[in-house]
Amino acid sequence: MKLLTPHPQYLKLGKTDEERQSCYRELFRYQVEGKLLDDIRKAANKGLVLGSKRFVEEVEALTGKRLREGKRGRRVGWRKERDLV
């Protein structure tokens, strides 16, 4: 009886154990750092799309949702003059 069962996605990385191990190591060859890492975290945490302006617009058009960060707070002029008195 086996204690561990390889995940199907892992098995698709290659035909042999050596191929799979090599491909898996290659996935983590490069580290993401700095601003790119911060942008990825921000997008993931806020449910935003990360990419060029055109790409974001295309994804928004396809989904019908706003997927970029908006301005914080209430819009300017949200109170009417009579509310201030």
Side-chain angles (χ1 to χ4, degrees), residues 42-55:
K42 180 178 166 184
N45 290 335
K46 294 185 176 189
L48 306 174
V49 173
L50 182 60
S52 68
K53 182 180 177 184
R54 180 178 173 208
F55 177 74

Side-chain angles (χ1 to χ4, degrees), residues 26-61:
E26 190 66 26
L27 289 172
F28 303 99
R29 185 177 202 184
Y30 303 102
Q31 291 183 350
V32 178
E33 297 176 347
K35 184 174 178 343
L36 179 58
L37 180 59
D38 291 339
D39 290 346
I40 292 169
R41 285 181 175 150
K42 180 178 166 184
N45 290 335
K46 294 185 176 189
L48 306 174
V49 173
L50 182 60
S52 68
K53 182 180 177 184
R54 180 178 173 208
F55 177 74
V56 174
E57 288 171 354
E58 288 178 9
V59 174
E60 286 179 335

Side-chain angles (χ1 to χ4, degrees), residues 1-45:
M1 181 170 115
K2 285 188 172 184
L3 294 177
L4 299 174
T5 305
H7 192 281
Q9 293 297 328
Y10 178 73
L11 294 175
K12 290 180 182 179
L13 291 176
K15 294 179 182 178
T16 66
D17 285 341
E18 291 78 21
E19 279 183 48
R20 287 189 287 270
Q21 291 167 7
S22 176
C23 286
Y24 189 79
R25 278 193 293 273
E26 190 66 26
L27 289 172
F28 303 99
R29 185 177 202 184
Y30 303 102
Q31 291 183 350
V32 178
E33 297 176 347
K35 184 174 178 343
L36 179 58
L37 180 59
D38 291 339
D39 290 346
I40 292 169
R41 285 181 175 150
K42 180 178 166 184
N45 290 335

